[in-house]
Amino acid sequence: MAERSETEEVKLLGMWASPFSRRIEIALTLKGVAYEFSEQDITNKSSLLLQLNPVYKMIPVLVHNGKPISESLVILEYIDDTWRNNPILPQDPCERATARFWAKLIDQQICVAAMKVVGKVGEERDAAVEAARDLLMFLEKELVGKDFFGGRSLGFVDIVATLVAFWLMRTEDLLGVKVVPVELFPEIHRWVKNLLGNDVIKKCTPPEDEHLAYIRARMDKLNIKSA
Amino acid sequence: MPHRSNVNASTCQNITFFSHTFTLTHPSVLDLKEIMPSGEVKLIGAWASPFVMRPRVALNLKSVPYEFLQETFGSKSELLLKSNPVHKKIPVLLHADKPVCESNIIVEYIDETWSSSGPSILPSHPYDRAMARFWAAYIDEKWFVALRNFLKAEGEEEKKAVVAQMEEGNALLEKAFIDCSKGKPFFNGDNIGYLDISLGSFLAWLRVTELAASHKLLDEAKTPSLCKWAELFCNDPAVKPVMPETAKLAEFAKKIFAKPQA
């Protein structure tokens, strides 16, 4: 159980369907840190959010003893630096660098490539799918012989990669194109099954039905054809 | 320890480069062998790259000798492609032949690996570390993109828009400097650190851009703290040997941004 001083206050401004917000909840839950969750309406941003994250005006924002931290990867590292039990990042500097490398690839390239598939048709869509798959293949190879990216247990990259497991892979049915088919990505599929066997992941992942309904509604609003 | 450099950098692939000047507070070269983690250090890079400059400053701060493997502009060596198959980009640090990629990630690696040597590159308090990482990410993802757009901008309208973007970014960084430095000379306090290196590595390119545009992008009136900091950063002994000369960089910039004649 994490140590808590009497004045310690942890608040998370987040959004139930955001992968970036959920990853913070996973980290806090893994470390047994009690926190207050403040659900934000991202279509009508609160003055609190704008005050706490004036640079990007986005969730998640972690507020610890009144001090705000933004950007999910920065927050994850802050959580690991502050609550030292159940480490998320490995101890070895080379392994830490590797974990940070994959996290950056997921957020800056895989996420972007996946979003490019949305709303496209025909040849354009095929090219976008191809590009996303090329990047995902790096993750596929990384998982060979491992239960999780972190090895025998969940780590930093697993937490960041939930974006792939529960956002990218869930929307496949809605998009009508399997970006991550099991024939091409058996390791990733095996890893998702391992994730689903973990209580913290189960607790901190949006319930599938509501999640799909939400995504479908968003796609309708943006006039994107859903399968 | 004498400063050794290869004069004809563009034609040689392998250059031994030990470029940190020792002060009385540094352990002697003989002591270093005992406390330094074992394994040869090589850095694949290029003199003009701001991203490559970051690990070079970090290695200098930690007094780590390394072999600088200069890539030829326009082509990628076998070693680079093998060491960074995902991005195929410099810099790549090779420590006992294990590759570490991505400039800011390499800087953290250097800080963690040679933790008992030289000053700490990342701040020690978790909140300060978070601020350093936050602003370093902002610099790469927003501020540098604006700078790069300025170099590529055509026409007065486009230039004006990018200048406005840059000035907004500079104002944020001026405030960040005041918050992070807490009255000290650098973002990291008394010594240069992660965030100083992250922003400082762009100073040569910033100067080149200012010259090309005849427009001051870092203004003493609007960002006095940053201007003062920039001068101190450039004069730091860990930075001076690896900061590209403005004239040389301007020539290089002209070459790579040259538009083909119609």
Side-chain angles (χ1 to χ4, degrees):
Chain A
M1 191 65 195
E3 283 161 30
R4 246 202 333 152
S5 71
E6 277 162 28
T7 54
E8 188 140 314
E9 187 200 73
V10 183
K11 187 172 179 172
L12 176 64
L13 275 76
M15 196 263 161
W16 72 277
S18 156
F20 307 101
S21 173
R22 287 288 182 168
R23 54 174 69 155
I24 309 305
E25 296 206 76
I26 294 169
L28 290 169
T29 308
L30 276 171
K31 296 208 181 234
V33 177
Y35 62 98
E36 183 201 327
F37 185 76
S38 172
E39 180 75 37
Q40 298 292 304
D41 181 355
I42 54 174
T43 60
N44 182 18
K45 295 178 183 181
S46 68
S47 54
L48 180 66
L49 175 60
L50 299 177
Q51 181 209 332
L52 294 175
N53 189 0
V55 177
Y56 297 111
K57 306 172 175 58
M58 297 209 290
I59 52 97
V61 181
L62 185 79
V63 188
H64 185 206
N65 293 333
K67 289 183 173 172
I69 302 127
S70 317
E71 292 297 280
S72 64
L73 296 183
V74 175
I75 301 171
L76 286 176
E77 294 236 27
Y78 175 81
I79 290 169
D80 214 32
D81 279 345
T82 303
W83 293 279
R84 310 305 297 263
N85 62 317
N86 296 351
I88 293 170
L89 276 162
Q91 297 303 307
D92 172 69
C94 195
E95 288 176 36
R96 289 165 78 83
T98 305
R100 288 170 175 145
F101 177 88
W102 292 123
K104 197 176 172 196
L105 185 79
I106 291 165
D107 274 8
Q108 291 192 352
Q109 300 203 230
I110 293 178
C111 184
V112 172
M115 292 207 286
K116 284 199 173 134
V117 177
V118 178
K120 300 250 171 33
V121 287
E123 259 177 48
E124 240 193 333
R125 191 175 76 172
D126 292 343
V129 169
E130 193 68 37
R133 283 183 182 166
D134 285 345
L135 290 166
L136 286 160
M137 207 40 89
F138 291 115
L139 294 187
E140 174 74 9
K141 293 196 179 108
E142 207 30 43
L143 283 168
V144 171
K146 285 153 80 169
D147 291 338
F148 299 98
F149 288 102
R152 301 255 289 279
S153 55
L154 275 190
F156 189 68
V157 181
D158 299 280
I159 297 172
V160 174
T162 51
L163 182 147
V164 173
F166 306 118
W167 276 264
L168 170 54
M169 287 166 81
R170 268 188 185 172
T171 48
E172 287 183 324
D173 295 330
L174 289 177
L175 288 174
V177 57
K178 282 236 174 280
V179 180
V180 195
V182 63
E183 321 83 71
L184 292 177
F185 300 98
E187 304 292 341
I188 289 181
H189 279 259
R190 182 177 59 83
W191 164 74
V192 174
K193 282 205 178 83
N194 290 340
L195 281 182
L196 289 169
N198 181 286
D199 287 336
V200 175
I201 295 289
K202 279 193 287 208
K203 184 173 185 230
C204 298
T205 300
E208 190 160 5
D209 292 339
E210 278 118 274
H211 193 195
L212 286 172
Y214 172 81
I215 296 173
R216 202 176 267 120
R218 287 269 295 181
M219 285 171 76
D220 286 344
K221 201 167 179 196
L222 297 166
N223 290 321
I224 297 164
K225 201 170 150 250
S226 59
Chain B
M1 196 72 189
H3 171 105
R4 281 189 295 150
S5 67
N6 189 302
V7 174
N8 209 354
S10 57
T11 52
C12 288
Q13 286 298 304
N14 299 321
I15 310 159
T16 306
F17 213 106
F18 188 80
S19 54
H20 184 85
T21 45
F22 278 97
T23 66
L24 287 171
T25 55
H26 280 281
S28 70
V29 178
L30 290 168
D31 291 343
L32 282 175
K33 283 214 173 94
E34 279 151 39
I35 62 166
M36 297 282 245
S38 61
E40 218 183 18
V41 181
K42 298 178 190 174
L43 184 72
I44 309 174
W47 69 273
S49 163
F51 303 102
V52 170
M53 195 178 141
R54 291 169 177 172
R56 295 182 81 184
V57 175
L59 290 165
N60 286 350
L61 283 169
K62 299 289 188 179
S63 309
V64 176
Y66 64 98
E67 196 183 342
F68 188 50
L69 304 174
Q70 181 110 250
E71 289 285 302
T72 313
F73 181 72
S75 73
K76 294 177 195 234
S77 69
E78 273 301 310
L79 183 63
L80 174 60
L81 298 175
K82 190 184 87 169
S83 310
N84 190 357
V86 178
H87 300 298
K88 307 174 176 57
K89 283 186 179 168
I90 50 166
V92 180
L93 184 83
L94 292 163
H95 186 199
D97 295 322
K98 283 210 276 195
V100 183
C101 307
E102 297 291 292
S103 62
N104 283 338
I105 294 176
I106 300 171
V107 172
E108 287 219 51
Y109 174 82
I110 291 167
D111 198 30
E112 288 168 7
T113 302
W114 287 277
S115 53
S116 52
S117 171
S120 209
I121 297 177
L122 270 286
S124 44
H125 193 277
Y127 187 75
D128 296 332
R129 290 157 78 85
M131 289 304 103
R133 288 179 178 132
F134 174 87
W135 287 112
Y138 172 82
I139 286 161
D140 279 2
E141 288 157 38
K142 303 282 176 205
W143 188 88
F144 171 62
V145 172
L147 178 63
R148 208 178 50 195
N149 287 344
F150 186 84
L151 274 165
K152 291 197 214 154
E154 290 179 49
E156 285 311 305
E157 280 307 310
E158 205 183 327
K159 281 204 169 108
K160 255 196 203 159
V162 186
V163 168
Q165 243 190 319
M166 283 228 72
E167 291 190 343
E168 202 183 302
N170 287 346
L172 283 175
L173 292 176
E174 174 80 3
K175 181 169 187 297
F177 178 80
I178 293 163
D179 292 340
C180 295
S181 64
K182 301 174 186 117
K184 300 268 174 89
F186 299 106
F187 282 96
N188 202 40
D190 289 313
N191 302 301
I192 65 170
Y194 184 78
L195 189 49
D196 301 278
I197 295 170
S198 156
L199 182 60
S201 59
F202 287 121
L203 287 172
W205 276 101
L206 188 75
R207 276 201 222 104
V208 164
T209 310
E210 286 177 336
L211 283 174
S214 307
H215 181 107
K216 260 219 162 281
L217 289 169
L218 213 59
D219 194 311
E220 269 113 24
K222 295 183 184 156
T223 53
S225 308
L226 282 182
C227 289
K228 200 167 160 198
W229 161 82
E231 190 165 343
L232 288 171
F233 180 82
C234 292
N235 284 314
D236 189 280
V239 172
K240 240 176 162 163
V242 297
M243 176 73 84
E245 273 171 34
T246 309
K248 190 177 174 195
L249 195 62
E251 265 312 303
F252 179 75
K254 250 193 230 158
K255 209 169 67 177
I256 62 171
F257 288 112
K259 293 188 174 65
Q261 295 301 310

